[in-house]
Amino acid sequence: MPALVVVGAQWGDEGKGKVVDLYTPFADLVVRYAGGANAGHTLVVRGEKVILHLIPSGILHEGQNCVIAQGTVLDPAVLLQEIAALEQRGVSVRGRLLISDRAHVVLPVHKLVDELTEAKSGGKIGTTKRGIGPTYQDKAARRGVRFGDLQRPELLRQKLEANFAGWKPVVESMGGTLPDLEAVLAQYVDFAKQLAGFVSDTGVVVGEAVKRGDRILLEGAQGTMLDLDHGTYPYVTSSSAVSGGACTGAGIGPTAITKVIGISKAYATRVGGGPFPSELFGEEGDALRKAGHEFGSTTGRPRRCGWIDAPALRLAVRVNGMDEIALTKLDVLTGRDEIRICVAYEQNGQRLLEPPYEGWDDLRPVYETFPGWKEPIGGCRTRAELPENARRYLARLEELVGCRIGIVSVGPDREETADLVDPFGR
Ligand code: IMP
């Protein structure tokens, strides 16, 4: 029963979209298990750009069945936009996409609270303002609206009333005004009609696939360092972004997971606030941002860029139980005289091999420097074909983080990938 988890090993935006796209032809079912419209993959469909935030990009593969599972939070307006954008481009969605009746629904109040909280703190966390945190807050507070509730207008009304009563003092204390309940109810009842055909008990669907021994691709969102439990708290997202989140998020037991692949860029990026010890500033940071086109696909914000961070990756290898790393964007480092790896942090005279619980301001990155390579690598299809200095960089990285590197992405196109093999095959 091969179930493969693809998880972000850094701060999100590692290139999971490309890797999932490469692995999808090998899978029977693709399941998105966490996060919401804070994620974003830019895809080109029949020559036109489409950005998917919620629907797994596996949907672009003809005949592929996809699930959005209960660990996610869903904004119905975004879902409908994505379905419409895909259908306009001739991609069939109906009958192939199932959405969990237990996934929590993002309401207008969640986006409002997200915005007001960010404004009040001066953008401290730098959220995507998609209402993700407040929706998960409601889930934990046991007053959330679930996707299945949308199909039952009377229940929905009761839930909205309780929900609004809960948020009213919070919103008003921040100088905001709650939206009109009747208008929200009418809008969400309308969404429900349009989405009725997608609602499913996806836990059972995924469970049956596990029993049959289907090949299941579990697609994570965001990354390990943004995970609520393991990331750089409080500068994190509000969901379980690690591989363990696939169990709760998709409704499968840990014994069903047969492999975990962590995605990492050959350097590091982060969007929003929070610790980033190996960040590059000024011209150096700008150059990397430009070379890697590092601008967010959900918010358009410029991403902070820096050297690859081995302590953060060690944490990712440990908490995800990573079997291998898929390394992306190696080509972005081509042409540099020197490349660095942050191998450890130094804090108060101590050398740290993993991120600390606190004290980020006193941290100093410790680097190893490597000679770069000038040869273009987009044509390399095996690791052996890479320039020697690139191979040395990869080998040292494997040694430092204690995990082998499997596929290496050497350009944005599907073909620009070295050592691609069937991920379910081993
Ligand atoms: P939220 O998930 O919108 O609450 O944002 C919390 C933090 O996670 C912010 O720093 C966001 O920039 C970051 N974040 C959320 N989703 C993504 C993502 O898909 N890629 C990168 N960063 C993300």
Side-chain angles (χ1 to χ4, degrees), residues 97-228:
L97 174 68
L98 298 178
I99 303 173
S100 172
D101 48 11
R102 288 155 171 89
H104 279 248
V105 174
V106 178
L107 300 168
V109 66
H110 296 134
K111 287 186 268 192
L112 176 66
V113 170
D114 201 354
E115 279 195 23
L116 290 173
T117 312
E118 276 291 299
K120 204 169 156 230
S121 71
K124 179 180 158 206
I125 296 189
T127 72
T128 58
K129 299 186 187 160
R130 297 302 181 102
I132 306 300
T135 309
Y136 280 114
Q137 242 174 292
D138 266 350
K139 178 178 179 176
R142 293 160 296 189
R143 63 169 194 218
V145 171
R146 297 191 292 172
F147 196 58
D149 301 338
L150 299 186
Q151 300 301 324
R152 300 156 75 188
E154 258 324 297
L155 176 72
L156 181 59
R157 173 186 289 282
Q158 285 166 22
K159 289 209 163 191
L160 283 181
E161 279 168 1
N163 188 279
F164 274 49
W167 283 116
K168 193 169 190 287
V170 178
V171 170
E172 288 178 355
S173 75
M174 291 193 286
T177 315
L178 277 178
D180 177 57
L181 191 142
E182 293 303 326
V184 174
L185 181 64
Q187 186 186 30
Y188 276 64
V189 166
D190 179 51
F191 289 152
K193 279 189 197 135
Q194 299 182 62
L195 291 166
F198 296 97
V199 190
S200 165
D201 188 344
T202 60
V204 171
V205 173
V206 177
E208 280 168 359
V210 169
K211 253 197 229 156
R212 278 195 303 271
D214 286 358
R215 291 157 302 175
I216 305 167
L217 179 53
L218 296 146
E219 180 183 341
Q222 287 79 48
T224 304
M225 296 306 288
L226 290 174
D227 178 85
L228 185 57

Side-chain angles (χ1 to χ4, degrees), residues 6-331:
V6 169
V7 69
Q10 299 173 301
W11 283 274
D13 308 317
E14 297 93 349
K16 289 182 291 294
K18 170 170 171 176
V19 176
V20 168
D21 185 53
L22 290 170
Y23 288 164
T24 296
F26 300 103
D28 299 306
L29 187 64
V30 180
V31 183
R32 163 92 186 263
Y33 67 77
N38 46 352
H41 298 320
T42 307
L43 306 152
V44 178
V45 188
R46 303 204 166 95
E48 278 184 80
K49 224 163 90 171
V50 183
I51 302 180
L52 294 181
H53 301 283
L54 290 168
I55 301 180
S57 44
I59 204 79
L60 297 184
H61 293 253
E62 222 180 302
Q64 180 58 255
N65 291 323
C66 296
V67 163
I68 305 180
Q70 61 265 46
T72 59
V73 289
L74 302 174
D75 185 333
V78 175
L79 257 176
L80 285 165
Q81 273 163 21
E82 292 184 9
I83 293 167
L86 289 168
E87 288 183 340
Q88 265 165 26
R89 288 161 181 81
V91 179
S92 76
V93 180
R94 280 153 222 274
R96 294 203 293 131
L97 174 68
L98 298 178
I99 303 173
S100 172
D101 48 11
R102 288 155 171 89
H104 279 248
V105 174
V106 178
L107 300 168
V109 66
H110 296 134
K111 287 186 268 192
L112 176 66
V113 170
D114 201 354
E115 279 195 23
L116 290 173
T117 312
E118 276 291 299
K120 204 169 156 230
S121 71
K124 179 180 158 206
I125 296 189
T127 72
T128 58
K129 299 186 187 160
R130 297 302 181 102
I132 306 300
T135 309
Y136 280 114
Q137 242 174 292
D138 266 350
K139 178 178 179 176
R142 293 160 296 189
R143 63 169 194 218
V145 171
R146 297 191 292 172
F147 196 58
D149 301 338
L150 299 186
Q151 300 301 324
R152 300 156 75 188
E154 258 324 297
L155 176 72
L156 181 59
R157 173 186 289 282
Q158 285 166 22
K159 289 209 163 191
L160 283 181
E161 279 168 1
N163 188 279
F164 274 49
W167 283 116
K168 193 169 190 287
V170 178
V171 170
E172 288 178 355
S173 75
M174 291 193 286
T177 315
L178 277 178
D180 177 57
L181 191 142
E182 293 303 326
V184 174
L185 181 64
Q187 186 186 30
Y188 276 64
V189 166
D190 179 51
F191 289 152
K193 279 189 197 135
Q194 299 182 62
L195 291 166
F198 296 97
V199 190
S200 165
D201 188 344
T202 60
V204 171
V205 173
V206 177
E208 280 168 359
V210 169
K211 253 197 229 156
R212 278 195 303 271
D214 286 358
R215 291 157 302 175
I216 305 167
L217 179 53
L218 296 146
E219 180 183 341
Q222 287 79 48
T224 304
M225 296 306 288
L226 290 174
D227 178 85
L228 185 57
D229 291 283
H230 303 286
T232 49
Y233 191 89
Y235 301 93
V236 292
T237 189
S238 301
S239 63
S240 185
V242 296
S243 61
C247 292
T248 49
I252 58 172
T255 45
I257 293 173
T258 44
K259 193 169 187 177
V260 178
I261 298 184
I263 318 299
S264 171
K265 279 181 197 165
Y267 49 97
T269 63
R270 171 163 208 166
V271 203
F276 185 3
S278 60
E279 182 168 9
L280 289 170
F281 298 95
E283 275 176 27
E284 276 193 301
D286 287 344
L288 197 48
R289 188 162 29 256
K290 200 168 158 215
H293 308 290
E294 296 295 352
F295 296 88
S297 49
T298 297
T299 57
R301 288 179 289 177
R303 296 179 184 141
R304 299 157 65 192
C305 296
W307 298 115
I308 200 161
D309 183 325
L313 277 179
R314 277 187 203 105
L315 181 149
V317 170
R318 177 170 62 76
V319 301
N320 292 304
M322 270 161 56
D323 294 297
E324 64 184 57
I325 296 171
L327 197 78
T328 60
K329 293 190 136 179
L330 185 64
D331 53 300

